[in-house]
Amino acid sequence: QVQLVESGGGLVQAGGSLRLSCAVSGRSFKDYYMAWFRQNPGKERVFVGAITKGGSTDYADSVKGRSTISRDNTSNTVYLQMNNLKPEDTAVYYCAAKEWGGQITTALCYVYWGQGTQVTVSS
């Protein structure tokens, strides 16, 4: 059984930074495509960014240039560094994982999910 546990969320002022972490346990972490999504109440879960098994990254336009995804295959952890945060970045952030390639920006393509961590950006 694969388990994902996010941490690092919190309250931050606009312009500040946060680093979210997602610890993965279970099967071989290095075999997974990893992604971050975010969601607000009553809204769909939205793609933030992803990192492939080989370390290539992709980002939503809304966070491009302000965010960096990285992975540490030694500690089985994926990170989302977010800088210059804006109030519209406020959401619950979810970590997701899948084993197979293909579409990486669609939530339905991911099999494993964490419980989410709240990020609140005050203006």
Side-chain angles (χ1 to χ4, degrees):
Q1 184 71 14
V2 178
Q3 292 185 321
L4 285 68
V5 179
E6 302 98 333
S7 61
L11 174 63
V12 64
Q13 288 189 333
S17 298
L18 278 177
R19 188 176 80 157
L20 306 183
S21 300
C22 174
V24 181
S25 62
R27 298 173 63 183
S28 181
F29 172 74
K30 63 180 178 63
D31 293 332
Y32 290 111
Y33 294 80
M34 302 297 302
W36 289 93
F37 289 78
R38 64 189 182 188
Q39 188 173 26
N40 282 302
K43 300 289 183 65
E44 291 186 353
R45 200 163 288 190
V46 176
F47 174 74
V48 174
I51 186 166
T52 67
K53 293 188 283 188
S56 298
T57 55
D58 190 17
Y59 300 94
D61 288 342
S62 59
V63 303
K64 197 171 293 183
R66 302 189 292 123
S67 298
T68 303
I69 294 177
S70 59
R71 63 190 300 159
D72 183 341
N73 291 342
T74 300
S75 64
N76 292 355
T77 305
V78 62
Y79 302 97
L80 174 63
Q81 175 70 44
M82 298 188 294
N83 302 320
N84 190 22
L85 283 160
K86 304 175 182 180
E88 51 263 43
D89 293 318
T90 295
V92 176
Y93 283 71
Y94 294 92
C95 176
K98 67 187 183 89
E99 296 180 76
W100 306 108
Q103 177 62 257
I104 63 169
T105 64
T106 303
L108 288 175
C109 295
Y110 287 85
V111 176
Y112 306 106
W113 291 87
Q115 82 289 350
T117 186
Q118 176 71 47
V119 171
T120 303
V121 183
S122 62
S123 57

